Amino acid sequence: MSRDMSTTDDQVALVRKILRTEQGLEMSLPELAGERISVTFFRPDIVRLRISRQGKFEKKPSYAVPDELGQMEPARTRIEEFKDRVLIGTDAMEVSLFLDPFHVEIRRNDETPVLVSPRDEAGRPWFYRKEKEGFCVGRVIERQDGVYGLGEKTGSLNKNGRAWKFWNTDVLNPSVAGGYREAPHENPLQDPTSTQFDPYYVSIPFYLHRPVGSSLLTGSFFNNLGRSSFDFTQPGGAVFRFESGAYEEFVFSGPNLPEILKGYTGLTGRIPLPPLWALGHHQCRWHDYNQEQVKALGDKYRQEQIPCDVLWIDIDYMDGFRVFTWDKQRFPNPPKLLQDLEKEKFRLITIIDPGIKEEPGYPVYDEAIRERLVCLNRQGQPYVGQVWPGRTVFPDFTLEEARRWWGRLNAEHVQAGIAGIWNDMNEPATGEVPAEDMQFGHGRDPHARFHNEYALLMAMGTVEGLKKAMPEKRTFVLSRAGSPGIQRYAANWLGDNCSRWEHLGLAVCMALGMGLSGQPFVGADVGGFMGACSAELLVRWYQYAAYTPFCRNHNAAAQPDQYPWSFGPEALSLIREALQHRYRLMPYLYSQFVIASETGLPIQRPLALGFSQDLKSWEVEDQFLLGEHILVAPVLAAGATQRTVYLPAGHWYRWPDGTYEISKGESRVTPVDLKSIPVWVRGGAVIPCWPEAPLSTMGYHPEVIDLHVFLPGEDGSTESTLQEDDGLTVHYQMGKYLRTDFRLTRAGKQISLVGSVRGHKFPEFRQDRFHLHLHAPPLETWTPILLQPSSEGFATVPRGEDFQIEFGRIG
Ligand code: GLC
């Protein structure tokens, strides 16, 4: 793969020793007390930089990059030595290691900068400084530049101009934050209910950088999940400070955003394809329901004809908050409840927290202690925190045997037919007892080493247990906390929010940031968790959430009701309508999940992902793309009568009414009333829809799929995708799916639609035909040539076979 080291005339052989490694090099750094730097290309456009710690490189600094993913793809590398630096490059970029003072510079082969070291006060460039147990690194990021990603963060889409912390935190309970604990303050950065609060539940030290005025992006992922802070407020450049561990960074030279995201998720993983029902509407509430009330809740949903797939039960279903138990009084017969719910096409999900009640005689506790599966304190005794059941011990998920045990308990728990698992309090939240005392690995590893990865490891144990017990079934786990790679196991909801308009707005940028950080399966508590929701807020929240990857109403204990029917018939009917849009759109939405599972691209996307050359689209923070073709501009303000919407340059159809608009890339003001959900579809798109909105996805297998074909107003080709499969099992991995790739092309007076089919289909239900619904630019009438309308009056195309349709213009 690699060429030999070359030395040309004007280069001077260096005194320092350079060791050639596979697709990289290692070199000593005398100015860093003999530490070494290692440079390894994982792909021509992805390089890993590491600096040793006490002479050693850590083999596995975290669980972010599993062995099976952290594989190098071939990259031809060349090394050159100059007087002042050593250069190692590929076809995509060059890494220069400057020697005195030591600093790093990375450029693409066209010379555009990827990473430039900043200068200190004396004007000397610097890159890395050792500090106590940790270190910091710096680089030039100008204040006007764009910085995106960083996982679950508050504030704007652009994260520049603020300092951020990475320490998974139970937001609404600052006393359990376990770090960075500060007294409640007037400073919004410290008010846990403000839209600026930091840190949050999920820590993902991955960011994208876009120099001002440029559409060229770079990415950086720090594979160090200890406590850290990223400061984008310093005049000399950004400073990233890690309190422990070694420096390991993956730099992605881009410059194209999808390639960076594919590269990042190639390392840290992508979502497994979720079961279809997980894309449905979820009803959750922290409330002490009993079995009859849960059933009655389902009945009410059906009576009101509101689409809903899943009911969730919170901590009160347990016996005294003991995990893996049921309160026998309230839930005398869980299997019967599951059967009753299934009749009404509901699934049930239960919460499972990590905290285990400290109580000899409680089998889960006894086994955990006997088998030495719990975290210890600094004295070597089981660490005891204070959570829902009172004194609580915590499984040590860094131990493989603890993960295996936890997986088995989860599998046994769901066996009666529970559909999925909800993991909460996994920052870990430890109540009034500081988390720092909690040690891992039988006391070997300090808390900070795995604090941020606790949720990932918990989800890993859960999923592996479920898969072992039910290898054919797809899993669904929802997690509150997370770290890079959490997407491999769980979806994330955006934690405890408030029933306030600004929290609805917060949900948009936060979801976009998660999507840009490798986690596409996200959504906020619809209606807001804390506080009293209003009719208008609930309607607007549903109208937004109907177009987000995860859509779950959730409400805290003792808060006023916020069921879809809680605010009277008008609100109810608008909510029903919004959810019906979602359910009709299910084939499209599901296909976007398929794309996310294959590419790592987000489902809820910033406009710039679809329109990267349009620099204005990076400024849009209150709109998003749902997948490839749908633009959503949710109404986020109380009493709104109009909405300013930015449409990137192109041809757009308002959905579902079909009004056609041409944009040169400008904002327009759209009038809105309470019914309005401003949504547009790109000209050229093919949007597959269900012919109606079922009340549940369970058992719904329509023979017909409606294909909404948005004829392009200008020349060009657009691709769209539909995947169908059983929606429940992993059989699609063995080819049991039906994939139709559409290509809609316009060349002047000719428009054609080509459908190419892949996959072996699947026997469970019929995939019969498509009904075409044409949407045409104004003053243009088109008709499919040689297609006979069906008895229903639709132009019909057989589903499951390749096809090509030519459209003829008749007006
Ligand atoms: C936490 C969760 C919330 C849940 C509650 C009770 O606050 O974030 O969703 O309802 O605990 O389990």
Side-chain angles (χ1 to χ4, degrees):
M1 265 353 98
S2 46
R3 270 194 270 148
D4 284 342
M5 223 183 277
S6 61
T7 312
T8 56
D9 290 348
D10 56 347
Q11 295 164 349
V12 178
L14 295 161
V15 195
R16 69 183 65 212
K17 220 170 132 207
I18 300 171
L19 187 69
R20 194 79 173 84
T21 57
E22 197 192 348
Q23 295 191 180
L25 62 75
E26 256 179 58
M27 190 176 86
S28 59
L29 298 170
E31 46 288 272
L32 290 178
E35 297 293 3
R36 286 171 299 148
I37 184 162
S38 134
V39 180
T40 310
F41 283 93
F42 275 63
R43 247 173 40 179
D45 58 335
I46 303 178
V47 67
R48 184 187 65 187
L49 307 177
R50 293 186 294 172
I51 293 178
S52 63
R53 190 101 197 162
Q54 276 143 10
K56 286 199 199 104
F57 292 111
E58 221 178 319
K59 254 193 136 165
K60 202 173 164 53
S62 78
Y63 289 87
V65 182
D67 297 340
E68 68 277 12
L69 295 177
Q71 303 291 326
M72 289 184 286
E73 290 173 26
R76 286 171 67 86
T77 56
R78 60 176 195 287
I79 296 179
E80 291 174 57
E81 294 177 46
F82 300 91
K83 219 186 260 160
D84 61 338
R85 65 188 164 126
V86 175
L87 180 151
I88 176 162
T90 63
D91 296 345
M93 63 166 144
E94 291 181 341
V95 178
S96 291
L97 305 172
F98 287 86
L99 307 176
D100 187 21
F102 165 66
H103 65 282
V104 177
E105 194 167 293
I106 307 181
R107 290 186 180 273
R108 297 184 192 91
N109 282 0
D110 65 4
E111 296 283 306
T112 48
V114 172
L115 189 157
V116 176
S117 290
R119 288 177 182 266
D120 64 16
E121 277 149 21
R124 284 161 56 87
W126 72 280
F127 178 71
Y128 170 96
R129 287 188 191 127
K130 195 167 177 322
E131 288 181 338
K132 289 195 212 135
E133 301 299 306
F135 64 91
C136 69
V137 284
R139 67 211 41 191
V140 172
I141 289 182
E142 304 290 351
R143 283 302 282 278
Q144 311 89 316
D145 293 356
V147 174
Y148 314 97
L150 300 181
E152 192 186 41
K153 291 290 175 204
T154 55
S156 308
L157 182 62
N158 185 349
K159 305 298 178 202
N160 203 352
R162 276 185 65 179
W164 305 96
K165 295 159 186 164
F166 291 103
W167 187 255
N168 290 0
T169 296
D170 179 3
V171 168
L172 276 193
N173 188 351
S175 74
V176 297
Y180 290 115
R181 200 175 305 130
E182 284 133 336
H185 213 271
E186 293 199 342
N187 178 351
L189 299 181
Q190 292 167 12
D191 167 6
T193 68
S194 95
T195 55
Q196 306 293 309
F197 181 77
D198 190 66
Y200 241 66
Y201 307 91
V202 177
S203 295
I204 304 184
F206 169 75
Y207 72 86
L208 298 148
H209 174 213
R210 182 180 63 82
V212 63
S214 161
S215 60
L216 308 182
L217 280 120
T218 61
S220 265
F221 164 54
F222 291 87
N223 194 8
N224 179 322
L225 274 306
R227 192 188 329 234
S228 64
S229 55
F230 282 26
D231 189 350
F232 296 98
T233 66
Q234 302 300 313
V239 177
F240 309 131
R241 179 161 279 116
F242 294 82
E243 292 188 12
S244 59
Y247 165 70
E248 172 164 326
E249 179 179 4
F250 289 85
V251 179
F252 304 77
S253 65
N256 135 331
L257 177 56
E259 273 315 308
I260 299 176
L261 293 178
K262 281 180 202 163
Y264 170 68
T265 57
L267 291 171
T268 60
R270 298 174 182 146
I271 55 166
L273 196 51
L276 178 67
W277 54 259
L279 282 53
H281 169 220
H282 301 255
Q283 164 62 45
C284 185
R285 187 181 190 180
W286 179 8
H287 186 67
D288 55 359
Y289 296 108
N290 63 30
Q291 182 159 342
E292 282 309 307
Q293 289 165 331
V294 174
K295 187 177 171 313
L297 181 62
D299 293 343
K300 175 76 174 161
Y301 259 97
R302 293 302 173 244
Q303 189 191 323
E304 299 293 358
Q305 299 277 298
I306 304 165
C308 183
D309 265 72
V310 190
L311 304 182
W312 294 54
I313 44 179
D314 207 321
I315 46 176
D316 294 288
Y317 80 88
M318 292 180 262
D319 173 17
F321 307 126
R322 292 170 189 84
V323 280
F324 307 112
T325 66
W326 289 83
D327 180 321
K328 296 253 161 52
Q329 305 264 297
R330 272 200 286 262
F331 291 88
N333 193 348
K336 167 85 171 51
L337 172 64
L338 289 164
Q339 278 167 19
D340 289 346
L341 292 181
E342 194 173 340
K343 276 190 212 132
E344 294 299 328
K345 298 189 172 22
F346 284 108
R347 291 184 159 82
L348 186 77
I349 288 183
T350 60
I351 197 167
I352 293 287
D353 290 343
I356 299 168
K357 187 176 172 78
E358 185 199 39
E359 183 186 55
Y362 162 38
V364 178
Y365 171 79
D366 288 346
E367 197 177 353
I369 297 293
R370 193 178 60 241
E371 303 296 327
R372 302 175 62 233
L373 302 173
V374 297
C375 296
L376 303 181
N377 62 20
R378 289 192 181 97
Q379 287 71 48
Q381 297 302 313
Y383 167 91
V384 180
Q386 187 77 29
V387 210
W388 306 121
R391 288 172 58 87
T392 323
V393 298
F394 290 81
D396 183 350
F397 295 118
T398 70
L399 304 173
E400 208 186 323
E401 58 273 28
R403 294 200 297 273
R404 223 179 304 124
W405 170 70
W406 194 255
R408 176 169 56 73
L409 290 175
N410 273 279
E412 285 164 11
H413 175 68
V414 302
Q415 228 134 46
I418 289 167
I421 293 290
W422 173 19
N423 283 170
D424 188 24
M425 308 293 274
N426 49 1
E427 293 67 39
T430 51
E432 298 308 315
V433 184
E436 276 84 349
D437 204 23
M438 177 196 283
Q439 314 290 297
F440 298 104
H442 300 301
R444 276 190 313 268
D445 298 305
H447 185 71
R449 165 88 206 231
F450 291 110
H451 176 90
N452 285 337
E453 291 202 288
Y454 193 75
L456 172 90
L457 293 167
M458 180 179 182
M460 187 189 286
T462 305
V463 167
E464 283 170 3
L466 297 179
K467 277 165 82 171
K468 198 164 160 208
M470 294 159 282
E472 303 249 300
K473 259 196 172 171
R474 300 184 204 177
T475 57
F476 178 74
V477 174
L478 182 73
S479 176
R480 190 166 73 173
S483 55
I486 186 69
Q487 68 273 8
R488 302 196 297 267
Y489 305 106
N492 283 106
W493 92 101
L494 302 176
D496 293 345
N497 55 2
C498 300
S499 302
R500 299 208 304 245
W501 287 93
E502 63 274 26
H503 276 240
L504 170 57
L506 169 72
V508 182
C509 279
M510 200 177 260
L512 295 178
M514 286 291 264
L516 289 176
S517 310
Q519 172 55 297
F521 201 174
V522 289
D525 284 349
V526 174
F529 178 69
M530 291 295 300
C533 197
S534 67
E536 188 188 2
L537 181 57
L538 191 66
V539 168
R540 290 304 189 198
W541 211 311
Y542 264 113
Q543 289 174 336
Y544 160 67
Y547 293 90
T548 64
F550 182 59
C551 175
R552 184 187 73 156
N553 185 328
H554 184 40
N555 194 3
Q559 311 299 303
D561 285 2
Q562 60 181 41
Y563 300 105
W565 49 84
S566 300
F567 298 97
E570 192 197 354
L572 170 61
S573 123
L574 294 170
I575 291 167
R576 184 190 295 117
E577 205 174 294
L579 289 169
Q580 286 172 342
H581 283 308
R582 181 182 184 87
Y583 274 70
R584 266 196 297 270
L585 211 51
M586 203 54 89
Y588 172 80
L589 185 61
Y590 183 68
S591 302
Q592 302 310 308
F593 273 79
V594 173
I595 292 169
S597 72
E598 291 173 353
T599 64
L601 295 182
I603 295 159
Q604 186 172 355
R605 303 173 170 188
L607 263 46
L609 187 58
F611 301 88
S612 58
Q613 301 304 315
D614 178 350
L615 295 185
K616 273 193 269 172
S617 69
W618 276 112
E619 312 297 323
V620 180
E621 306 213 316
D622 56 358
Q623 299 175 210
F624 60 93
L625 298 173
L626 175 61
E628 297 177 301
H629 299 311
I630 296 182
L631 182 148
V632 186
V635 178
L636 304 170
T641 53
Q642 54 182 44
R643 167 71 156 98
T644 303
V645 179
Y646 180 74
L647 287 184
H651 294 224
W652 295 94
Y653 289 85
R654 184 77 189 259
W655 172 263
D657 69 17
T659 322
Y660 181 81
E661 289 177 58
I662 298 175
S663 173
K664 293 197 173 69
E666 72 270 320
S667 296
R668 66 230 17 244
V669 174
T670 301
V672 294
D673 58 22
L674 204 51
K675 286 199 192 71
S676 316
I677 314 180
V679 170
W680 282 261
V681 179
R682 263 186 207 209
V686 174
I687 308 285
C689 288
W690 279 344
E692 72 228 319
L695 291 176
S696 166
T697 66
M698 196 186 282
Y700 182 72
H701 306 299
E703 289 176 9
V704 173
I705 291 242
D706 285 343
L707 278 192
H708 287 269
V709 180
F710 293 86
L711 297 178
E714 55 190 351
D715 285 5
S717 255
T718 308
E719 285 171 14
S720 308
T721 294
L722 167 65
Q723 176 161 318
E724 303 170 69
D725 51 42
D726 68 14
L728 290 172
T729 73
V730 296
H731 295 166
Y732 71 93
Q733 291 169 351
M734 279 86 79
K736 290 192 170 179
Y737 62 88
L738 175 59
R739 177 81 160 249
T740 315
D741 292 312
F742 304 99
R743 176 183 282 268
L744 184 57
T745 306
R746 178 167 188 160
K749 294 199 177 113
Q750 287 178 329
I751 297 185
S752 65
L753 174 63
V754 175
S756 324
V757 168
R758 281 185 273 159
H760 303 315
K761 309 188 189 174
F762 45 104
E764 282 80 357
F765 50 93
R766 291 176 62 195
Q767 302 104 42
D768 212 50
R769 58 197 187 281
F770 291 122
H771 282 170
L772 293 190
H773 298 254
L774 295 193
H775 303 256
L779 308 177
E780 293 188 17
T781 311
W782 295 79
T783 186
I785 302 171
L786 297 178
L787 270 191
Q788 296 306 321
S790 68
S791 51
E792 300 104 317
F794 292 103
T796 296
V797 184
R799 194 152 124 227
E801 291 166 24
D802 291 349
F803 66 83
Q804 172 151 6
I805 306 165
E806 305 293 335
F807 296 92
R809 187 157 172 189
I810 54 173

